Amino acid sequence: MNGTYSPYITFTEKEWSKLRSVTPFPLTKEEVENFRGINDKLSVREVSNIYLPLSRLLNLYVKASQMLFKGTHDFLGKQGSKVPYIIGIAGSVGVGKSTTARVIQALLSRWPEHPRVDLVTTDGFLYPKHVLEEKGLMHRKGFPESYDTKYLIDFLTAVKSGDPHVNAPLYSHVLYDRVPDEYTHISQPDILILEGINVLQQMQNFETPQLSVSDFFDFSIYVDADESDIFRWYVERFKIFCQTSFQNPDSYFHRYAGLSEEEATNIATNIWKDINQKNLHENILPTRYRADLILRKGQDHGVEKIRMKQL
């Protein structure tokens, strides 16, 4: 005993990879490449060593949840609607949450016990751009007050209640806004993954302040890395966007399309310091240890350490 206690068990990549056991690899190399973010370095090895064992763990949890649901309803003598298992994925802007969410969705959908896996991001629950402008929150976009928390909690309540007809608003990164009258239809999936920087924060609906977004999660994941690495990845991604998606005349950020590399670096650095760094320190990073599992990335963007909360 060294006097140091933690609710987490820590694994290296090598130790974690052994927990894959005999689970077959269900994805092709092409599928893995399609899951990569703009400047992500996702590899078949990482999916095999990190995400496949994680899918095996989640499969065990989902099956146990399904058995508990059935047993409880048998005990109560009721016929209940299927209730999705909800997984929350959090972490900083630029850390690779979206890639993680896409890989986990694909792997979980290959398990026969839960083939229907839906993925929703919290971007769609940001207030529309005109509302943010009215509230003076455009420079606070991504902070807790920029989200329509009532809308998000109402959505999760409907999903967790077994409602077969629930709509999640769509978000366009080109428009930098919610897409009017366009939705993702959620109809009682086996698993719902909710991905966003804010999902582990104490975001509450003031009409029902006893509820937070994270109260609806059955399992939560935090994607972590050194702040210096996240900052570097963010700047690299911004420079790539300047040469790609920002070139679109319809892009909200089209004004950055003609920047030199130095100008792009300076603007990305200022955005990081003025907005993303503050949000990381004030709201996102403090939620890290609420997660059931932490994926810790190294400088090369690959996961090198896993912390799993003990039951």
Side-chain angles (χ1 to χ4, degrees):
M1 300 291 288
N2 58 12
T4 301
Y5 300 94
S6 171
Y8 291 93
I9 308 171
T10 302
F11 300 85
T12 63
E13 177 189 356
K14 184 177 181 180
E15 292 167 337
W16 184 258
S17 67
K18 294 177 183 178
L19 303 179
R20 168 185 173 177
S21 187
V22 294
T23 308
F25 191 82
L27 304 176
T28 66
K29 181 180 178 182
E30 291 71 25
E31 286 177 308
V32 172
E33 291 174 351
N34 288 335
F35 294 139
R36 288 179 188 150
I38 293 295
N39 61 331
D40 212 335
K41 305 295 189 297
L42 183 72
S43 65
V44 170
R45 173 191 167 119
E46 184 178 16
V47 174
S48 177
N49 289 354
I50 302 297
Y51 293 106
L52 196 55
L54 176 54
S55 80
R56 180 176 175 234
L57 174 68
L58 290 170
N59 169 256
L60 294 173
Y61 283 8
V62 174
K63 287 195 297 184
S65 177
Q66 290 172 340
M67 290 178 62
L68 178 61
F69 178 84
K70 183 180 183 304
T72 301
H73 278 72
D74 287 346
F75 170 76
L76 296 172
K78 293 184 176 181
Q79 295 292 324
S81 300
K82 181 174 66 174
V83 176
Y85 190 91
I86 300 183
I87 299 170
I89 299 181
S92 172
V93 169
V95 79
K97 299 180 304 303
S98 297
T99 297
T100 293
R102 289 192 293 267
V103 173
I104 291 175
Q105 179 189 25
L107 291 173
L108 289 177
S109 68
R110 265 57 170 195
W111 290 87
E113 295 86 0
H114 38 74
R116 295 187 56 214
V117 183
D118 286 344
L119 171 60
V120 170
T121 73
T122 58
D123 291 341
F125 295 93
L126 286 158
Y127 283 114
K129 190 165 58 181
H130 73 275
V131 175
L132 292 173
E133 290 171 347
E134 290 170 3
K135 292 176 176 287
L137 292 174
M138 283 300 290
H139 291 288
R140 298 280 291 178
K141 198 167 183 178
F143 284 71
E145 62 268 28
S146 66
Y147 290 89
D148 189 342
T149 307
K150 181 181 185 307
Y151 192 1
L152 179 53
I153 286 181
D154 287 347
F155 166 78
L156 290 170
T157 299
V159 170
K160 206 61 175 172
S161 299
D163 189 331
H165 304 292
V166 189
N167 288 326
L170 285 179
Y171 184 85
S172 168
H173 289 281
V174 172
L175 300 177
Y176 199 52
D177 200 1
R178 190 188 296 177
V179 182
D181 303 319
E182 289 195 26
Y183 304 89
T184 298
H185 183 60
I186 306 298
S187 182
Q188 295 181 316
D190 301 304
I191 299 171
L192 174 68
I193 299 172
L194 183 69
E195 177 257 310
I197 60 175
N198 58 304
V199 296
L200 291 177
Q201 296 168 21
Q202 292 297 314
M203 294 177 62
Q204 297 178 323
N205 171 11
F206 291 110
E207 294 181 13
T208 54
Q210 69 272 23
L211 283 177
S212 291
V213 170
S214 58
D215 292 337
F216 294 88
F217 296 157
D218 297 288
F219 194 89
S220 56
I221 298 168
Y222 186 96
V223 185
D224 193 24
D226 281 344
E227 184 179 328
S228 59
D229 291 327
I230 303 174
F231 165 63
R232 175 168 52 84
W233 299 335
Y234 176 80
V235 173
E236 289 173 354
R237 188 178 70 174
F238 186 88
K239 291 192 289 186
I240 293 172
F241 283 154
C242 287
Q243 302 302 317
T244 54
S245 60
F246 293 170
Q247 298 288 328
N248 184 341
D250 294 328
S251 172
Y252 178 80
F253 296 104
H254 182 61
R255 62 189 180 278
Y256 297 141
L259 296 178
S260 67
E261 183 169 344
E262 181 180 0
E263 290 171 330
T265 298
N266 289 337
I267 288 177
T269 299
N270 290 334
I271 294 173
W272 174 264
K273 289 181 178 179
D274 293 343
I275 300 174
N276 297 319
Q277 186 180 53
K278 289 181 180 179
N279 201 12
L280 176 63
H281 285 277
E282 293 175 12
N283 301 299
I284 303 168
L285 195 58
T287 70
R288 176 171 54 189
Y289 294 113
R290 294 180 190 157
D292 296 301
L293 186 131
I294 301 170
L295 297 174
R296 176 74 177 185
K297 290 189 170 188
Q299 293 182 351
D300 65 350
H301 228 306
V303 176
E304 61 181 16
K305 186 182 296 182
I306 299 89
R307 292 176 177 168
M308 186 180 78
K309 190 173 286 185
Q310 303 182 66
L311 293 176

